[in-house]
Amino acid sequence: MSIRVRFTIFYTLILTGFFLCFGVFSYIIARATLLTGLDATLENTAEQVIASAEVFNQGDITLLRFPEDMDVFQTATLFMMAINEQGEVLAHSSNLEDFDGVLDASTLTTAEPTFSDVSHFNQPIRVYTYPLVLQNSDTQIRIGYLQVAQLLDSYYEALYQLGLVLGLTGGIVFFFFLFLGMITTRSLLRPLGEITAVALQISRADDLGRRLPDDGRRDEIGHLTLALNQTFERLEKLFRNQQRFLADVSHELRTPLTTVRGNIDLMRRMGEYDPELLDIIQDELQRMTRLVGDLLLLARADGGSLPISRLAIDLETTILDVYRQVQPLQTEKNVQVRLGQLTPMRIIGDPDRIKQLLLILVDNAIKYTPAGGEVLVSLARVGNTAVVSVTDNGPGIDVQHIPFIFDRFYRVDKSRTRAQGGSGLGLSIAKWIADVHGGSIRVESKLREGSTFIVTLLAVPQAMTSEASPYDYDDDAEDLVEGENTAVVG
C-alpha cells in the first residue's frame, strides 16, 4: 500500500471519526433537550389540573373533586388520570374511556413526583406521577395521585429523523473526505514522486552533476530537495576527488617505478655496478615508501582506526624538538630558521601527531624558501587557544590555489614539488591532525612575499599551567635563557 493511500485512509478516518463524535454528541444533546421539554409540558399540565381541583373534609373522610371536564387540559396525545390512595380511578380524560386500570401502577407508592416510561395502546408513553398531599396540622396526608402522560411517538420520530440525517450526512462526509484526501495527498506528494524519478535517473545514469529541480518552496519538501541536492553535490565532489586521487596515486607511483626500471635496465645493458644509479633507485624507493606510508596513514584516518592519545603537551618544548630535528635540513638548504616568541602553554593531544604536524609545516617552509632565506616559528596565546605560526619568505601562493592547498595530491608547482621529493599529501595530513585535535589550520600568502601557515589549537587554561615568561633560544649554549622576545638561530 502506497504512502498516498495510507495518508488518504488515515486522514479520512480521523476526520470522519471526528464528525461521528460530533454527531453522537449532537444526538445526545437533542434527545436530552426533547425529553426535558416533554417533561416540562407534563409538569405544567399537572400543575394546572391540581390548581383547579377541590378538597372536602367530611369528618374523617377527605373528598377530592377534579374538574368535570379534564379534556380542557389535554390534547389528543395527552392523558390524565386522578387516583385515590386505594388505587381507584377518581377521574380521567375522555380519551381514557375505554382504558381499564391506571397508567403506571408501579409509581403509586412514591412520595415524590416521578417520571416513568410505559407502553399502552401499543405505543410508548411518558408518565408523570404527582402525589396529592393534604396538609393537616403538622402532618401531611397523602390522599391520592395525579398521573399525566403523553405519547412518545413524536419524540421518537424526531430522534429517528435526526439520526437519519446524521447518518446520511456522515456517509456523505466520509466519501467527501475520501475524495478530498485523494486529491490533496496526490497534490502534496506529487513533488516526492518527481524527486524519486529524478533521483533514480541520476542513479541509473551515474550523472552526479545533475540536480533536482528547485521551485523555491521552503516547506518540508523544499528542505528535502535542498538536502538531496547538497548530498548529490557532496557525492559528486567525493567521486571527483576519488577519481583525481586514483589518478594522482597512479601518477606518483608510475614515475618512481619508471625511474627504477629504467636504471635497472641501464645497468643490465652496461653489465656493471653503478653506485650513482643505485643511489637514484634508493631515493625513488624511499619516496615510494613515504608515499605508501602517507596513504596508509590517511586511509586509517578516514576509516577512524588510527588511535589518538590525549596527553598534556608542553607545546613550546615540542617546537624546540622540531627545531633541533630540522637543523641538518636548514644547513643543507642554506636557510636560516628563527624561533620567535614562544609563550609557554599546554594543550591536550597526541604528542607524536602534534610533532608530525609541526615537522610538516617547517619542512615545507624550508623546502620552498630559497637559499639565504629564513623561516620564523612562533607560539602565542590568543584567548583560550594556542596559535602556532610558521612563516617563510619563499615565492608565496597565488590566491586561486589557496582554497585547494590542503587537498590531497594538490600542488601549486607539480614539477618542482616532485623534484623536491614531495608527494602532495603532507598538508592533507597536517589538516587532519589539526582537525582531529579540535583545531584548525589556514594559510596567508602573497606572491613573491612568502607564506604563513597558522595552526590554532585549544590550550589548557592558564590556571592549570605553571607560570612562565616568554623566552628565547640561544643556539650557542643550546639552552633556554631570558632575554629578548626574538632570537636568531641558525
Side-chain angles (χ1 to χ4, degrees):
M1 184 181 296
S2 66
I3 188 173
R4 181 172 64 86
V5 175
R6 289 201 299 267
F7 270 133
T8 300
I9 295 177
F10 178 72
Y11 286 113
T12 299
L13 292 177
I14 288 180
L15 294 175
T16 304
F18 173 79
F19 179 80
L20 289 178
C21 291
F22 173 77
V24 171
F25 177 77
S26 300
Y27 183 86
I28 294 174
I29 295 298
R31 185 178 65 178
T33 302
L34 290 174
L35 191 59
T36 301
L38 179 62
D39 291 345
T41 300
L42 295 177
E43 288 180 342
N44 292 334
T45 303
E47 290 176 358
Q48 295 180 42
V49 172
I50 293 173
S52 62
E54 298 179 355
V55 179
F56 301 96
N57 291 323
Q58 295 181 358
D60 296 333
I61 300 175
T62 300
L63 299 178
L64 182 64
R65 179 183 295 177
F66 287 93
E68 295 182 359
D69 188 5
M70 296 183 70
D71 292 339
V72 174
F73 305 102
Q74 59 90 33
T75 63
T77 60
L78 192 65
F79 308 93
M80 287 179 290
M81 179 180 291
I83 308 166
N84 62 17
E85 188 66 14
Q86 289 74 32
E88 299 173 350
V89 177
L90 302 179
H92 57 75
S93 58
S94 60
N95 52 10
L96 292 178
E97 289 290 345
D98 298 330
F99 181 74
D100 185 17
V102 296
L103 292 174
D104 187 4
S106 64
T107 59
L108 295 182
T109 58
T110 181
E112 298 292 336
T114 304
F115 289 97
S116 60
D117 294 332
V118 297
S119 179
H120 291 300
F121 320 111
N122 295 323
Q123 290 184 339
I125 296 177
R126 182 76 167 175
V127 179
Y128 176 62
T129 303
Y130 187 85
L132 300 175
V133 179
L134 182 63
Q135 186 71 31
N136 187 7
S137 299
D138 295 333
T139 61
Q140 291 182 345
I141 302 173
R142 188 169 61 238
I143 59 177
Y145 299 90
L146 175 65
Q147 289 189 338
V148 182
Q150 185 171 354
L151 293 177
L152 293 177
D153 53 350
S154 60
Y155 166 75
Y156 284 116
E157 179 66 19
L159 292 180
Y160 172 76
Q161 294 295 334
L162 177 61
L164 183 62
V165 170
L166 290 176
L168 291 176
T169 306
I172 295 174
V173 167
F174 174 79
F175 288 105
F176 173 75
F177 284 152
L178 183 62
F179 175 74
L180 183 63
M182 292 176 60
I183 295 178
T184 303
T185 54
R186 178 179 300 176
S187 175
L188 291 176
L189 297 180
R190 182 182 295 113
L192 290 180
E194 296 174 353
I195 290 174
T196 302
V198 175
L200 288 176
Q201 293 174 5
I202 294 175
S203 176
R204 292 168 182 170
D206 290 334
D207 184 12
L208 294 177
R210 186 176 177 182
R211 296 293 179 266
L212 299 173
D214 188 0
D215 55 4
R217 58 192 298 171
R218 287 298 172 260
D219 54 6
E220 288 78 1
I221 294 179
H223 295 160
L224 175 62
T225 301
L226 182 62
L228 287 176
N229 282 336
Q230 292 175 348
T231 301
F232 287 142
E233 182 179 358
R234 184 175 182 183
L235 287 175
E236 180 186 17
K237 182 179 179 181
L238 291 175
F239 183 71
R240 295 188 183 281
N241 287 341
Q242 183 185 30
Q243 289 181 322
R244 184 166 58 84
F245 177 78
L246 293 175
D248 288 339
V249 169
S250 301
H251 185 72
E252 290 294 334
L253 292 177
R254 183 179 59 185
T255 301
L257 287 175
T258 301
T259 303
V260 171
R261 185 178 61 183
N263 288 327
I264 291 177
D265 291 341
L266 181 59
M267 283 192 296
R268 284 178 178 176
R269 286 195 300 268
M270 293 171 56
E272 62 182 11
Y273 169 78
D274 190 334
E276 183 178 352
L277 294 179
L278 287 178
D279 290 339
I280 295 175
I281 292 174
Q282 183 178 3
D283 291 341
E284 294 297 333
L285 290 176
Q286 290 177 349
R287 180 183 167 198
M288 283 193 296
T289 301
R290 290 194 301 270
L291 174 62
V292 172
D294 291 344
L295 289 174
L296 179 60
L297 174 65
L298 290 174
R300 294 178 63 189
D302 292 340
S305 60
L306 192 62
I308 298 295
S309 60
R310 300 292 178 181
L311 303 174
I313 305 172
D314 290 322
L315 196 53
E316 74 281 3
T317 303
T318 304
I319 293 176
L320 291 174
D321 291 340
V322 171
Y323 166 74
R324 296 186 184 98
Q325 189 168 342
V326 299
Q327 289 297 311
L329 182 60
Q330 71 167 345
T331 302
E332 176 184 348
K333 291 278 296 182
N334 190 24
V335 174
Q336 189 179 47
V337 177
R338 300 172 56 209
L339 291 179
Q341 177 177 334
L342 299 182
T343 303
M345 66 184 71
R346 287 184 177 182
I347 64 171
I348 301 298
D350 189 316
D352 294 333
R353 297 303 172 198
I354 295 296
K355 185 176 182 179
Q356 182 181 13
L357 166 62
L358 298 175
L359 277 172
I360 290 173
L361 297 181
V362 175
D363 180 68
N364 275 358
I366 294 175
K367 287 180 180 179
Y368 281 97
T369 300
E374 64 178 22
V375 175
L376 176 65
V377 182
S378 60
L379 170 63
R381 177 186 289 272
V382 178
N384 61 343
T385 60
V387 179
V388 181
S389 60
V390 179
T391 304
D392 63 65
N393 55 2
I397 304 172
D398 194 348
V399 66
Q400 64 179 342
H401 297 293
I402 290 180
F404 312 102
I405 197 69
F406 296 102
D407 292 350
R408 298 175 185 181
F409 291 112
Y410 188 85
R411 297 190 184 91
V412 176
D413 186 349
K414 297 184 178 181
S415 60
R416 180 178 180 183
T417 304
R418 187 175 293 112
Q420 293 173 339
S423 63
L425 296 176
L427 291 180
S428 298
I429 295 175
K431 184 178 186 306
W432 170 76
I433 295 174
D435 291 341
V436 81
H437 283 82
S440 63
I441 182 172
R442 59 188 175 90
V443 59
E444 297 176 355
S445 180
K446 292 183 179 180
L447 285 177
R448 295 176 294 276
E449 293 185 14
S451 304
T452 300
F453 285 84
I454 302 172
V455 180
T456 303
L457 300 169
L458 185 64
V460 175
Q462 287 181 309
M464 300 176 61
T465 60
S466 58
E467 295 184 359
S469 301
Y471 56 81
D472 300 316
Y473 186 80
D474 187 342
D475 58 317
D476 294 331
E478 293 194 357
D479 197 3
L480 299 178
V481 297
E482 297 180 357
E484 300 295 333
N485 287 338
T486 302
V488 176
V489 293

